[in-house]
Amino acid sequence: MGAAGSSALARRGLPAPPGPRWLGVAALGLAAGALGAVAWRRARSRRRRRLQQVGTVSELWIYPIKSCKGVSVDAAECTALGLRNGHLRDRFWLVIKEDGHMVTGRQEPRLVLVSTTYEDDCLILRAPGMDQLVLPTKLHSSNKLHDCRVFGLDIQGRDCGDEAAQWFTNFLKTDAFRLVQFEKNMKARASNEIFPSLDKNYQVAYPDCSPIMILSEASLADLNTRVEKKVKINNFRPNIVVTGCSAFEEDTWDELLIGNVEMKKILACPRCIMTTVDPDTGVIDRKEPLETLKSYRLCDPSEKSIYKSSPLFGIYYSVEKNGSLKVGDPVYQMVQ
């Protein structure tokens, strides 16, 4: 029966007779073939990426409060917004002035003396000369929402209460401060706002630039052969420390697999006076190790529009595939 006949039956409310069975079989065959071709191309693409071990994870660090002491962990989840261990999230808390502007160790170097531990669904904050502060990780929805500014970009934070505000105000003794917490339903800062000239797609809460920063032990050892007073890994606040590679080999790692986490290089980490804050005393030097880094770790002239005169030390990564990782995991570079 032709198309006209089928239409006539349809108008009468009668079903058209089924078409030849071979047409249905052929259509199914074509669809299966197309799907198979796509799967084959994807599998072939995955096969083409060879894994080359470039090192081993020696340390994992989460910095719950921006510019305060880090927490060393043996294992972590790696989310799109950075490392997580239970309720400890990387840079999900931020000290602000009452007008919402961020406060970091650049302005208040003694923040690096504030330590954080996690007990019974609470953060326990300690600092020299201060009673400990017990801070619940789950805040009341009635707590005020602040409009904050982090490196000139807008982001929200929920107020952690008057007790926390008074604690930081009493400890720093320079201004009135408040503590805010990022919540996962809030709008994070987007990569195209942080680096408008780069074609990247990721988000961060309160970190400077990216969810993950990686640094090798060898790069730190190399720097320490050049400075009079040796510096620690804590001066540079990486999330993942890698051993078993040569100095600055991390500069060449574009795509990494650690545990079941896939990461992609964003750019090198441009360093500032935060590196000159002594993590043990909270005293800012404003010179070393920054001046020494400037003597041999400046960018290529072609990249000056990105890095300006900042020396490069460590690499920023975005998280392409969430997962988990731990100390001792091999670090693989994924190469085509």
Side-chain angles (χ1 to χ4, degrees):
M1 181 180 292
S6 296
S7 299
L9 287 174
R11 282 195 298 271
R12 290 183 175 91
L14 298 173
R21 183 169 294 181
W22 65 268
L23 286 175
V25 173
L28 285 171
L30 285 171
L35 287 170
V38 169
W40 178 81
R41 280 196 297 271
R42 286 178 178 167
R44 188 177 176 212
S45 174
R46 283 197 298 270
R47 281 198 299 269
R48 279 205 305 265
R49 292 203 297 180
R50 183 168 50 87
L51 296 182
Q52 174 188 345
Q53 185 171 352
V54 291
T56 303
V57 175
S58 59
E59 300 174 41
L60 292 172
W61 289 90
I62 294 175
Y63 306 86
I65 305 174
K66 188 173 180 66
S67 284
C68 295
K69 280 185 186 294
V71 179
S72 176
V73 297
D74 293 328
E77 294 175 64
C78 193
T79 76
L81 291 175
L83 294 189
R84 172 179 187 162
N85 183 291
H87 286 282
L88 286 180
R89 301 292 302 260
D90 190 63
R91 296 168 174 101
F92 259 46
W93 286 263
L94 174 72
V95 178
I96 60 170
K97 293 188 174 182
E98 291 195 324
D99 64 3
H101 281 82
M102 73 172 186
V103 177
T104 73
R106 301 164 182 84
Q107 302 87 31
E108 297 290 341
R110 293 178 72 241
L111 276 174
V112 303
L113 302 179
V114 177
S115 67
T116 307
T117 54
Y118 177 73
E119 300 171 21
D120 299 326
D121 292 334
C122 292
L123 297 186
I124 312 296
L125 307 190
R126 297 179 176 89
M130 299 291 293
D131 291 334
Q132 71 177 28
L133 173 68
V134 179
L135 192 67
T137 55
K138 180 77 172 169
L139 298 176
H140 291 294
S141 59
S142 59
N143 284 30
K144 180 180 176 180
L145 279 180
H146 289 274
D147 294 319
C148 308
R149 297 282 286 177
V150 174
F151 293 108
L153 297 178
D154 294 329
I155 187 169
Q156 287 188 312
R158 191 171 296 282
D159 194 278
C160 292
D162 291 340
E163 186 182 359
Q166 195 61 53
W167 194 89
F168 276 97
T169 299
N170 291 346
F171 175 61
L172 296 174
K173 296 183 173 67
T174 56
D175 207 334
F177 300 101
R178 301 204 71 86
L179 183 69
V180 297
Q181 180 181 344
F182 184 81
E183 295 174 344
K184 59 185 179 182
N185 61 329
M186 293 176 178
K187 184 178 182 292
R189 291 153 55 232
S191 55
N192 62 358
E193 297 175 312
I194 300 169
F195 298 116
S197 61
L198 298 183
D199 183 22
K200 305 293 181 182
N201 183 28
Y202 64 90
Q203 295 182 329
V204 289
Y206 303 138
D208 283 9
C209 299
S210 78
I212 298 292
M213 201 269 281
I214 293 180
L215 183 64
S216 73
E217 289 181 354
S219 298
L220 179 66
D222 180 275
L223 172 61
N224 274 329
T225 65
R226 303 166 188 263
V227 291
E228 187 175 327
K229 181 185 176 184
K230 294 193 185 308
V231 289
K232 300 179 177 180
I233 206 76
N234 312 77
N235 285 74
F236 304 101
R237 306 173 70 80
N239 297 109
I240 301 173
V241 182
V242 177
T243 190
C245 61
S246 58
F248 308 110
E249 190 180 333
E250 61 266 36
D251 293 353
T252 66
W253 302 339
D254 288 328
E255 294 183 82
L256 296 179
L257 174 68
I258 308 176
N260 60 352
V261 179
E262 294 183 11
M263 304 179 193
K264 192 170 186 178
K265 179 180 176 180
I266 301 169
L267 77 175
C269 179
R271 293 302 181 167
C272 68
I273 59 168
M274 184 72 192
T275 60
T276 72
V277 178
D278 187 319
D280 296 324
T281 65
V283 174
I284 189 167
D285 177 82
R286 295 189 179 275
K287 290 185 178 179
E288 291 296 350
L290 197 59
E291 293 301 317
T292 296
L293 283 171
K294 285 181 178 179
S295 72
Y296 75 114
R297 287 292 298 169
L298 294 178
C299 69
D300 185 273
S302 65
E303 298 176 312
K304 205 155 189 180
S305 62
I306 300 172
Y307 299 114
K308 310 282 191 299
S309 60
S310 299
L312 311 179
F313 201 66
I315 304 294
Y316 284 136
Y317 285 86
S318 61
V319 180
E320 301 298 302
K321 180 189 170 192
N322 295 359
S324 57
L325 41 74
K326 62 184 185 300
V327 171
D329 274 346
V331 177
Y332 294 105
Q333 184 176 13
M334 298 188 289
V335 292
Q336 295 292 338

